[in-house]
């Protein structure tokens, strides 16, 4: 088994943004063509700390280079108050022929990269050729930090980024750090209305109280794209008043997401207008609307598989990671009539 710890994954991901974008795009297109298996995620909600959860996302991604495995990711919002990262994750990959575990990766960086890449791809296709000069970031955490890295690739024309966070002083520190990384872009801490007035807005908070009512703010520019990455920030009215795009309707409209609450109120899902694979594949044209276009991705496990596979390939090229024995069921081979019959069939098929 190949094991990549935190530092290994970080080293393998360095400079890999274009590859990650291609991997995420490819995973979406394969999913749209039916070459994936994505069971519903399983949620474990411990009694304490309140609001915490751990999610299991099993998946299989087909195509010319199939991959399968499981992401096990925790979200403990109270960590932020302790100076810790909210989310932690482990990504497991399994051999597609034997099912044996073949790799384990520290998964939070993989998860952040695939979330940011999917957001940047959505912004690019949903803008329908319109430029993105201004970006608003609501929430100053790991996800929006990665979002800028990928938006800078899909929208090299970005000039200004407005940063907003509910914690006093955090936006200023976040903006200063980003300015040092991207000196050609102007970053500044603004109020919520200023952030929501940008061409593309990424909302990634730990709130989950459906607090954001877009009707309470001046409308953004025509064709504004709102990347609703945290899934539980928008009010029901905001969802119903937007052109809504998801990664997978069955996954996104459940587990008390903002879209699920809208379904519970309306009794239908007609407010979901498209899935991102159809836009990326050209089956659906970008929306022509003066109102907001909201992308609400549940976060499919196939994206983690695609990015983890790309990370493993990069790690192999650069000699990163550790090979550890002892994670198969054992060195002996199964014998007996059934094993002999299977071997005979295999021999016959290759004759």
């Amino acid at each position: 088994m190949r094991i990549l710890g935190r530092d290994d994954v970080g080293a393998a991901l360095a400079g890999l943004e274009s590859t990650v974008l291609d991997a995420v795009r490819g995973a979406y297109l394969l999913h749209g063509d039916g070459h994936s298996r994505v069971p519903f995620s399983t949620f474990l909600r411990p009694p304490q700390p309140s609001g915490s959860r751990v999610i299991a996302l099993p998946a299989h991604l087909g195509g010319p280079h199939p991959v399968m495995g499981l992401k096990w990711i925790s979200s403990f919002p109270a960590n932020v108050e302790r100076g810790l990262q909210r989310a932690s994750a482990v990504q497991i990959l399994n051999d597609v022929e034997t099912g044996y575990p073949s790799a384990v990766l520290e998964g939070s960086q993989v998860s952040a990269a695939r979330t940011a890449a999917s957001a940047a791809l959505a912004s690019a296709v949903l803008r329908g050729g319109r430029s993105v000069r201004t970006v608003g970031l609501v929430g100053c955490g790991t996800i929006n930090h990665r979002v800028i890295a990928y938006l800078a690739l899909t929208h090299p024309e970005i000039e200004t980024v407005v940063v907003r966070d509910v914690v006093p002083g955090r936006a200023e520190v976040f903006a200063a750090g980003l300015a040092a990384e991207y000196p050609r872009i102007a970053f500044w801490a603004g109020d919520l209305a200023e952030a929501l007035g940008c061409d593309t807005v990424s909302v990634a908070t730990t709130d989950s109280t459906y607090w954001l009512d877009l009707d309470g703010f001046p409308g953004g520019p025509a064709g504004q794209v709102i990347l609703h990455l945290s899934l539980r920030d928008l009010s029901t009215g905001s969802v119903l008043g937007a052109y809504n795009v998801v990664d997978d309707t069955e996954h996104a409209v459940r587990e008390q997401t903002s879209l699920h609450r809208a379904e519970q109120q309306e009794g239908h899902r007609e407010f979901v207008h498209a899935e991102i694979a159809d836009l990326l594949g050209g089956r659906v044209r970008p929306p022509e609307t003066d109102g907001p276009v909201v992308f609400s991705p549940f976060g499919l496990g196939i994206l983690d598989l695609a990015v983890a596979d790309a990370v493993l390939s990069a790690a192999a090229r650069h000699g990163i990671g550790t090979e550890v024995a002892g994670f198969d069921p054992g060195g002996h081979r199964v014998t007996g009539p059934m094993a002999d019959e299977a071997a005979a069939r295999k021999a016959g098929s290759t004759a």
Side-chain angles (χ1 to χ4, degrees), residues 75 106-107 117 157 193 260 262 291 295 299 306 314 327 336 342-343:
S75 174
E106 191 284 315
E157 70 277 13
H260 188 197
F295 177 54
F327 284 88

Side-chain angles (χ1 to χ4, degrees), residues 23-293:
V24 170
R25 180 191 297 273
Y28 273 144
L29 293 175
L30 286 168
H31 181 66
D33 290 336
H35 301 300
S36 64
R37 297 290 184 272
V38 190
F40 282 140
S41 306
T42 298
F43 285 69
L44 171 65
R45 293 184 172 87
Q48 294 294 331
S50 177
S52 300
R53 63 183 184 269
V54 192
I55 314 173
L57 294 87
H60 180 284
L61 182 63
H65 184 57
V67 58
M68 69 177 181
L70 171 78
K71 178 169 77 169
W72 180 240
I73 181 167
S74 70
S75 174
F76 277 48
N79 282 355
V80 177
E81 301 172 4
R82 302 165 60 192
L84 302 174
Q85 291 286 345
R86 173 187 61 86
S88 63
V90 173
Q91 178 70 49
I92 301 172
L93 298 184
N94 295 79
D95 185 275
V96 295
E97 295 292 334
T98 66
Y100 290 2
S102 57
V104 172
L105 296 82
E106 191 284 315
S108 69
Q109 296 172 86
V110 171
S111 186
R114 66 90 153 136
T115 300
S118 70
L121 289 171
S123 177
V125 71
L126 293 176
R127 286 290 291 172
R130 298 184 181 95
S131 64
V132 172
R133 303 288 179 184
T134 59
V135 172
L137 300 180
V138 180
C140 297
T142 300
I143 296 300
N144 270 342
H145 181 271
R146 300 309 302 151
V147 164
I148 281 296
Y150 287 90
L151 284 177
L153 289 178
T154 58
H155 299 294
E157 70 277 13
I158 293 173
E159 299 172 350
T160 302
V161 176
V162 182
V163 177
R164 167 68 181 175
D165 195 276
V166 70
V167 178
R170 190 175 185 187
E172 287 78 5
V173 173
F174 194 66
L178 289 174
E181 291 185 58
Y182 305 94
R184 68 172 184 80
I185 301 174
F187 293 87
W188 54 281
D191 61 28
L192 186 57
E194 291 167 325
L196 292 175
C198 295
D199 298 326
T200 288
V201 181
S202 177
V203 183
T205 82
T206 59
D207 196 311
S208 297
T209 61
Y210 320 97
W211 62 278
L212 182 52
D213 187 351
L214 298 177
D215 288 341
F217 297 89
Q224 179 190 49
V225 172
I226 295 179
L227 306 169
H228 181 213
L229 305 183
S230 36
L231 284 175
R232 296 170 179 83
D233 278 320
L234 291 185
S235 68
T236 298
S238 297
V239 171
L240 296 176
Y243 183 99
N244 292 286
V245 178
V246 299
D247 50 2
D248 184 291
T249 304
E250 294 299 320
H251 286 260
V253 189
R254 65 188 294 262
E255 291 293 341
Q256 293 301 309
T257 63
S258 292
L259 286 87
H260 188 197
R261 287 167 65 93
E263 179 194 42
Q264 291 172 326
Q265 174 178 304
E266 298 298 302
H268 61 75
R269 297 179 175 181
E270 296 174 8
F271 54 85
V272 177
H273 299 91
E275 294 186 351
I276 193 66
D278 291 325
L279 285 139
L280 291 172
R283 292 183 288 270
V284 173
R285 293 178 59 82
E288 297 180 2
T289 175
D290 291 334
V293 180

